[in-house]
Amino acid sequence: MASPRSSAKTRLQKGKIVEPRVHILKDGSLSAVAEYIKEGKAKNIIVMSGAGISTAAGIKDFRSPGTGLYDDLEKYNLPYPEAVFDISFFKDNPSPFFRLAKELLPGRYRPTFTHYLLPLLARKGLLLRSYTQNIDMLERLTGLDDELLVEAHGSFATSQCIKCEVVTDSKWVRKHILKSSIPYCETCGGLVKPTITFFGEDLPARFGRLALQDFKKCDLLIVLGTSLQVEPFNRLITRVGPECPRLLINREKAGEEMHGGFDFDDKWKYPTVRDAVFLGNCDDGVRELAKLCGWEGELQAMFEAGNIEMQIAEEMEALSLAAELEEAVAVANEAEKEAEEEAEEKAEKEAKKGARKEAKKEIEKETKREAKKEAVAVEPETKRPLQKKEEGKEKEGRQKETPAEKDVPSEDDVVQQLSERLLSTDLNAASETFTAADEILAVSTESVVVVTTIVDTKEAPKPAQV
């Protein structure tokens, strides 16, 4: 490393002569940083980044007045904006986070021009490590080696149960997020969330381990798109050596209030003058830095190639999703068909069952009708003894009638009998012991008696009816 520049003037502090201030950079501009790089003084560059590098991708940052994500969280009815990332609040009410996660979910956005500065520095062998607060995983999509990346606040790359700490399938959690549903652990029933570091949680162990060694080696710190308000991430800028130059590319100045923080306006009068700033969009600042370093064309080519790859990947994913959707529709149709067939089969069974019931009823009715017919047919037989009994009674009643009435023949019968007797009598027969005249007299007498009897019988009073 070349010797730092020193001012010609010495400083007086409380009446004592103090060593002159050392200028690591000639001034606080991008060109001074570019010159530092081109001179070969930056061999272990650390890049710290925040939400500001992703705004060009369409992802809102958190704290920009009027446009930041925290200003857009009123619809979630939070007690305070940061509650959406507060672990205590999350345990009681996880719904706001998962509704927000649907908007932040990786796969909807592409890396920006700024993101491709990281693989460019890595290609040139200048990147020691990239430390990011972002959870959008856009650094990964540039092709940056995972070993060169520290996601200080975690990411959607993995998911874990907050109760039993079992690591779960991120694709499974992603499906829940897309469906606006809350995932619960299949092992213990606890809440499952992406391994994003919430307020109240410790940062990943890898962050602390690597930060301890990396910032001692750093010879150029580039801070991109962050307000440096979240600890302990913001404190990283104080860990580099006192002669390590620092560059901030952001829409506004940040990190000036903490001890050992930036000193853009020479407020703190540090022994070394090493801080530079570019106020504006990250993409504009990075493009200007790349241009000053002679890397603009290379960076632009990487950005365009990356977009083409992303487009192809998105199209492939779209085709895959379409195939999955088609398969899901086919499965749903098949299930619906099976359900319809099952319903038809069930209806047919019910119909057959109903028909059997009706047939059984008809058989029962027919059986009853046949039994009734048989009963009707048998009824005279069963009543015959009774009829005979009645006939016997009637006969007995007739027998109780007066003998004279019972034995008296009708007038016609008597006349017929007498006539026959008269005609059969032989008036010339001599052998008879009595004469014909006597026979006629006897018949006549008998006729009178019979007629008299008939008349008397008819005139006799009938017995009273009981």
Side-chain angles (χ1 to χ4, degrees):
M1 179 183 296
S3 59
R5 302 180 181 89
S6 61
S7 61
K9 298 180 180 179
T10 58
R11 292 182 296 148
L12 294 176
Q13 190 176 50
K14 294 183 180 181
K16 295 182 180 180
I17 297 176
V18 181
E19 291 294 327
R21 300 179 71 191
V22 177
H23 287 262
I24 307 299
L25 300 172
K26 65 178 181 180
D27 56 38
S29 66
L30 276 179
S31 60
V33 175
E35 182 180 341
Y36 188 85
I37 293 172
K38 287 193 294 183
E39 289 177 355
K41 298 176 181 178
K43 300 183 185 297
N44 293 293
I45 300 175
I46 289 179
V47 178
M48 293 172 55
S49 58
I53 72 171
S54 297
T55 53
I59 302 174
K60 294 182 179 181
D61 64 6
F62 290 92
R63 291 181 171 80
S64 292
T67 61
L69 191 61
Y70 284 148
D71 284 346
D72 195 34
L73 295 178
E74 294 180 0
K75 57 187 175 183
Y76 299 123
N77 297 320
L78 300 171
Y80 53 94
E82 291 83 355
V84 73
F85 292 113
D86 187 288
I87 190 61
S88 297
F89 182 82
F90 175 80
K91 290 178 180 178
D92 294 333
N93 186 9
S95 180
F97 167 76
F98 283 108
R99 290 168 62 190
L100 176 62
K102 190 173 182 179
E103 299 180 21
L104 301 176
L105 201 61
R108 300 178 58 189
Y109 307 97
R110 296 182 186 179
T112 65
F113 189 84
T114 298
H115 284 95
Y116 283 95
L117 175 63
L118 303 174
L120 176 63
L121 292 174
R123 178 186 293 181
K124 295 183 176 300
L126 302 179
L127 183 66
L128 175 60
R129 207 87 64 188
S130 170
Y131 286 75
T132 181
Q133 292 175 284
N134 298 334
I135 59 176
D136 52 35
M137 296 172 57
L138 293 183
E139 292 87 357
R140 292 173 180 254
L141 296 181
T142 64
L144 182 66
D145 190 333
D146 288 351
E147 183 59 31
L148 296 176
L149 178 64
V150 175
E151 293 165 324
H153 294 164
S155 72
F156 286 95
T158 57
S159 298
Q160 191 174 30
C161 174
I162 65 174
K163 185 177 180 181
C164 68
E165 299 184 351
V166 169
V167 177
T168 60
D169 183 8
S170 293
K171 291 183 179 179
W172 175 74
V173 175
R174 179 185 178 89
K175 289 180 180 179
H176 275 279
I177 293 174
L178 290 174
K179 292 178 182 178
S180 300
S181 61
I182 299 173
Y184 289 92
C185 180
E186 296 179 347
T187 302
C188 71
L191 281 168
V192 176
K193 76 173 183 66
T195 49
I196 296 169
T197 305
F198 279 25
F199 295 110
E201 290 186 305
D202 295 330
L203 270 63
R206 184 169 182 269
F207 166 81
R209 185 179 70 255
L210 292 179
L212 188 62
Q213 62 188 37
D214 287 346
F215 282 82
K216 293 178 180 179
K217 299 177 183 178
C218 179
D219 50 25
L220 174 60
L221 179 64
I222 301 176
V223 182
L224 304 171
T226 174
S227 61
L228 294 174
Q229 294 188 24
V230 178
E231 294 186 355
F233 187 86
N234 61 347
R235 293 285 177 184
L236 294 178
I237 67 170
T238 68
R239 292 193 179 188
V240 296
E243 296 184 355
C244 175
R246 302 178 298 189
L247 167 64
L248 174 67
I249 299 178
N250 198 40
R251 290 179 177 176
E252 57 188 13
K253 293 179 180 178
E256 295 181 289
E257 301 305 319
M258 71 181 77
H259 180 70
F262 287 125
D263 187 14
F264 304 117
D265 301 319
D266 206 23
K267 176 181 177 180
W268 299 106
K269 305 295 182 182
Y270 294 135
T272 55
V273 180
R274 53 173 178 161
D275 296 330
V277 62
F278 176 90
L279 298 180
N281 295 327
C282 289
D283 281 359
D284 293 338
V286 168
R287 185 178 296 277
E288 181 64 22
L289 177 62
K291 182 179 180 180
L292 292 170
C293 291
W295 304 337
E296 184 180 14
E298 189 176 0
L299 184 55
Q300 182 66 36
M302 291 181 67
F303 173 66
E304 292 175 357
N307 271 272
I308 293 173
E309 290 180 5
M310 286 291 298
Q311 183 175 352
I312 294 173
E314 288 169 5
E315 291 175 356
M316 293 297 292
E317 184 177 3
L319 290 174
S320 176
L321 290 174
E324 289 181 8
L325 179 61
E326 185 177 353
E327 183 179 355
V329 170
V331 171
N333 290 337
E334 185 65 24
E336 184 178 358
K337 183 179 179 181
E338 290 179 359
E340 289 177 356
E341 291 176 354
E342 185 177 349
E344 290 177 0
E345 185 178 351
K346 185 176 181 181
E348 186 177 350
K349 287 182 179 179
E350 291 295 330
K352 288 181 179 179
K353 186 177 180 181
R356 285 196 296 269
K357 285 184 178 179
E358 290 298 323
K360 186 177 180 181
K361 288 182 180 178
E362 288 298 324
I363 292 172
E364 290 176 352
K365 289 180 180 179
E366 185 64 24
T367 302
K368 289 180 180 179
R369 285 195 293 266
E370 293 296 329
K372 189 174 183 181
K373 287 180 181 180
E374 291 178 3
V376 170
V378 173
E379 185 177 4
E381 297 295 331
T382 59
K383 290 185 176 181
R384 192 165 297 166
L386 182 61
Q387 290 176 349
K388 289 182 178 179
K389 186 176 181 181
E390 293 295 330
E391 290 174 357
K393 287 183 179 180
E394 183 178 352
K395 183 176 181 181
E396 183 179 354
R398 288 197 300 269
Q399 291 175 351
K400 289 181 180 180
E401 295 175 354
T402 59
E405 181 180 358
K406 176 182 178 183
D407 298 332
V408 175
S410 65
E411 293 178 8
D412 292 339
D413 293 339
V414 172
V415 173
Q416 181 66 26
Q417 292 175 4
L418 292 175
S419 296
E420 290 176 354
R421 289 178 66 181
L422 286 174
L423 291 175
S424 63
T425 302
D426 188 1
L427 297 179
N428 296 318
S431 60
E432 294 289 340
T433 57
F434 47 84
T435 66
D438 293 334
E439 180 69 18
I440 294 171
L441 178 64
V443 172
S444 300
T445 303
E446 185 178 350
S447 301
V448 171
V449 173
V450 170
V451 169
T452 303
T453 303
I454 292 172
V455 171
D456 291 340
T457 301
K458 288 183 178 180
E459 290 181 355
K462 294 181 180 181
Q465 297 291 328
V466 179

